[in-house]
Amino acid sequence: MLSVSLCGNRLRNPLILASGVRGNSAELLIRAAREGAGAVTSKSCSLCPREGHSNPTMVADGGIFLNAIGLSNPGVEEEIGEIRRAVRKAGVPVIASIVGFSPEEFGRLAERMEEAKPHMIEADASCPNIEHGGKMFSQSVEDAVAVTKAVRAATSLPFSIKLSPDVPNIGQIAKACVEAGADCITAVNTMGGMLIDPYAKKAVLHNRFGGLSGHALKPIALKSVYSIRKAVGDGVPIIGTGGVACGLDAVEMIMAGATCVGVGTAVALRNGAFRQIAGEMREFMRKEGYRSVSELSLDEG
Amino acid sequence: MASHTVAKIRGIEAENELVKTLTLDISMPQAAPGQFVMCWLPQFSEEKPFSLSAKSPVRLTVAARGAFSKSLCGLARGQRIWIRGPYGRGFELKGRRILLVGGGYGFAPLRFLAEEAKKRGIAALAVCGARTKSLLLKPAPCETIFTTDDGSAGIAGNVLEGMRRALSRGKFDLVYACGPEKMMEAVAKLAQRHGMRTQLLTERYMKCGIGACGHCCMGEKLVCADGPMFYYEELKKNSEFGKVWRDKAGRKVPL
């Protein structure tokens, strides 16, 4: 009932561990698969190891989550080994996330990562914490296309480009990426935000700004996915990510146009999140008379 | 809502030349021994995890080792610190007669445990070890056997010596350990040979503290969310317990 296909891979359900959640290590990816994820995405790796920002790197304030981990990761050379082990043992498709600070770096990372034979690559062109000339690659058509072309030239593996919601024209950006060779769109990354502690008179995150996730991100993600689907047409897969914490959230994301659904913050909030969300999806579909995920579509009448 | 609770330092007690216990003006009645809080010093722009050494009022026992803990130990009465938590899985109090084994400042959370055991009428015996007399912590609110590696106080030798002494008096329903990982492993193995289970308190470089970022992974376990308390059996097949931790970038480093 829940199985879907994504870039030539069959997934037992459309729920994908989102990048950045629960780490770079093979064992955490294997665990997410064991806990019911349909596919798993590793935390982004860069060419060199990165320590990331100092703490506080993630805080919760009511239903709001804000993080600026700062892309800490052990570097692509160590990550290749982790991805290779995950591919061997996870039993579900493994998506390796890469993050570069120039299009050339994205190309080199994609080329190196091929060695680990992940099922897909995800190019994190939208981390909101690292400034590249004051903005992210996915905040302009031109930069997003440059990253896409560099990754396309470097690998024959299917790849997705992960976009920021912090733009007025995400549909246009996604369409340009698809035309430049992206096989899939992941939308969205976190939304830029800030929390202030009035007693400390300081921004709470060490980096001051961070990425907003959790429940508050869902309407932003739904609108982004909807806009992307309208722009790219029916054939291009979309991994809809942002604020999905229960089965109904996942159904909504698919109705907005997503092929698969990324689950991030909810993995920390709910024990056994994947199995619970999948169960809730099944229950909804059974009650409402849906037989497959592809039948979940929006009535635009 | 706010991400952190502002707490004032109400008292500071020097435990030894390295370790201070800060008493705060907040309480966490729901907290269990072994749980931790994230402590943010905005003026120092850093936040680190600390095990609770009491809950009402909250006490943190801090060893002035790194830059952050030195700053924390340098604060005066009346100054404020920012706290979020408590987080993680704490110790589970079970049985009628328990043994607590702590090495270095790892003894601090076991004092909180001894306090809770006392409230519930569970008989506790504690072993508190350190390299030397000047690094010993204050005793727990139960009988406490001290050991020092150099023999400057208590039994000469490591905590295992103290533990053997305790075991010569009979069996315990459960052993609780906190301290360096290799020490805890040795304690758990000795306990196992005597047919006893061990709950131990683990530590890794922590970032989010709430099970999201995955940085504090130990094999497939997350220290912040699955732990920091684990039964030794849960870690026996763990690929990293007693062997590897990860640095700030997440690179594996031999323990």
Side-chain angles (χ1 to χ4, degrees), chain A residues 36-108:
Chain A
V40 292
T41 317
S42 59
K43 179 165 162 54
S44 304
C45 70
S46 49
L47 281 174
C48 296
R50 289 179 54 86
E51 292 196 332
H53 302 306
S54 291
N55 283 342
T57 45
M58 182 165 190
V59 289
D61 183 356
I64 293 168
F65 288 80
L66 199 71
N67 87 84
I69 301 283
L71 295 170
S72 62
N73 76 90
V76 68
E77 296 308 321
E78 188 164 326
E79 189 65 8
I80 286 170
E82 299 293 323
I83 298 295
R84 194 186 284 130
R85 274 201 293 147
V87 168
R88 225 169 32 225
K89 292 186 180 161
V92 302
V94 174
I95 305 168
S97 178
I98 56 172
V99 63
F101 299 98
S102 66
E104 295 71 38
E105 281 194 19
F106 272 101
R108 282 168 61 196

Side-chain angles (χ1 to χ4, degrees), chain A residues 21-23 27 31 34 50-51 54-56 58 60-62 72-74 78 82 85 197 200 202 206 268, chain B residues 1-3 40 42 45-47 80 82 84 206-207 210-213 219-220 222 226 239 248-249 251-252:
Chain A
V21 181
R22 298 207 167 173
E27 285 182 272
R31 172 177 168 172
R34 202 182 61 231
R50 289 179 54 86
E51 292 196 332
S54 291
N55 283 342
M58 182 165 190
D61 183 356
S72 62
N73 76 90
E78 188 164 326
E82 299 293 323
R85 274 201 293 147
D197 186 295
K202 286 238 180 195
H206 185 271
Chain B
M1 284 297 292
S3 54
W40 176 37
S45 290
E46 182 58 282
E47 186 196 46
R80 300 192 291 188
W82 277 251
R84 59 186 177 97
M206 219 172 261
K207 292 194 171 179
I210 53 176
C213 75
E220 61 154 34
L222 292 175
D226 302 318
S239 61
K248 196 177 176 185
R251 282 170 294 207
K252 287 183 187 175

Side-chain angles (χ1 to χ4, degrees), chain B residues 71-92:
Chain B
S71 306
L72 193 51
C73 284
L75 295 179
R77 262 185 69 176
Q79 282 190 284
R80 300 192 291 188
I81 62 177
W82 277 251
I83 300 286
R84 59 186 177 97
Y87 296 130
R89 177 169 70 151
F91 287 120
E92 292 166 7

